[in-house]
Amino acid sequence: MKSNIVLIGFMGSGKSITGKLLAYRLGYSFVDTDTAIEQEYKTKIKDMFAKEGEAIFRQRETATIQKLAQKSHQVISTGGGVATKETDMQELRKNGIVIALTAMPHTILKRTGNDKRPLLAKKSNEERLKTIIELMAKRTPFYKKADLIIKTDDTTPLQNVEIIMKYLKGVK
Ligand code: S3P
């Protein structure tokens, strides 16, 4: 039985809060890839994008995932771009069940603020929605590769956990 649970999905799809609750429920440790990167490089993601650029962030993200994938009994909440990196996903899949959380662009717009996410740091809501729609169109095929997909527009994080627990009982 694979022992990690890997949450993928767009920014604001609820990975972190669902992941924390799920980890508690399973007695697993919770790891957020962004937090792990920020701790290791002692820089906030938003500053990393601004000072070093997205490419450096993506390299660091891959390095972090390589390390995390070696450990077990973790719920790993991944940054929204991770699912598009095939080699990172291959590594995570070796010991991980992959679960995608999805939501409609308007839901994402409501859930994401303007501050800590460099890719959505747009001035107007209109601009942000446009970026969300475009980026989501590119990423959806990757999110669809998950073992389980949960639409979170109308669910609470606790309900997401229930859906995941039910699914896990079926695969064990
Ligand atoms: C990103 C999502 C962010 C973070 C970075 C890039 C993305 O994580 O990794 O800002 O490419 O979608 P969350 O999905 O946790 O917001």
Side-chain angles (χ1 to χ4, degrees), residues 9-12 15-16 32 34 45 49 54 57-58 61 78-81 116-119 135 139:
F10 207 81
M11 295 169 264
K15 293 164 293 184
S16 297
D32 179 297
D34 287 337
I45 302 295
F49 267 70
E54 182 173 348
F57 165 74
R58 296 297 174 196
E61 188 173 56
T78 62
K116 68 174 179 136
R117 293 180 170 97
L119 295 178
L135 207 50
R139 290 177 174 183

Side-chain angles (χ1 to χ4, degrees), residues 18 21 61-62 68 160:
T18 301
L21 293 169
E61 188 173 56
T62 294
L68 292 177
N160 299 338

Side-chain angles (χ1 to χ4, degrees), residues 21-171:
L21 293 169
L22 179 66
Y24 183 76
R25 182 75 174 266
L26 290 167
Y28 284 13
S29 49
F30 172 76
V31 199
D32 179 297
T33 58
D34 287 337
T35 308
I37 296 164
E38 288 184 340
Q39 281 168 353
E40 175 145 10
Y41 297 94
K42 297 184 178 55
T43 316
K44 291 276 169 210
I45 302 295
K46 124 169 145 359
D47 299 331
M48 220 178 266
F49 267 70
K51 287 184 201 146
E52 287 144 313
E54 182 173 348
I56 295 288
F57 165 74
R58 296 297 174 196
Q59 282 171 22
R60 291 174 177 176
E61 188 173 56
T62 294
T64 301
I65 282 165
Q66 298 293 331
K67 276 186 223 159
L68 292 177
Q70 308 311 316
K71 300 182 194 163
S72 61
H73 299 94
Q74 320 161 89
V75 174
I76 305 173
S77 169
T78 62
V82 170
T84 66
K85 298 196 275 183
E86 300 281 11
T87 44
D88 291 6
M89 288 310 296
Q90 259 171 24
E91 210 49 45
L92 288 167
R93 274 181 193 284
K94 284 184 189 161
N95 189 28
I97 294 171
V98 179
I99 299 173
L101 302 185
T102 68
M104 300 295 284
H106 276 93
T107 309
I108 299 292
L109 182 70
K110 269 189 250 156
R111 289 184 189 162
T112 50
N114 218 344
D115 51 348
K116 68 174 179 136
R117 293 180 170 97
L119 295 178
L120 298 182
K122 300 279 157 40
K123 283 183 196 81
S124 71
N125 273 4
E126 234 169 280
E127 281 178 305
R128 288 176 54 223
L129 184 61
K130 188 169 173 276
T131 305
I132 291 168
I133 291 169
E134 285 169 2
L135 207 50
M136 196 181 279
K138 283 190 204 143
R139 290 177 174 183
T140 298
F142 296 98
Y143 297 145
K144 280 193 174 158
K145 293 182 184 176
D147 300 306
L148 171 70
I149 300 173
I150 305 174
K151 288 199 177 91
T152 69
D153 299 273
D154 302 313
T155 60
T156 63
L158 271 177
Q159 285 169 330
N160 299 338
V161 170
E162 289 314 318
I163 296 167
I164 295 169
M165 291 304 290
K166 207 167 153 195
Y167 172 78
L168 294 177
K169 273 190 198 126
V171 293

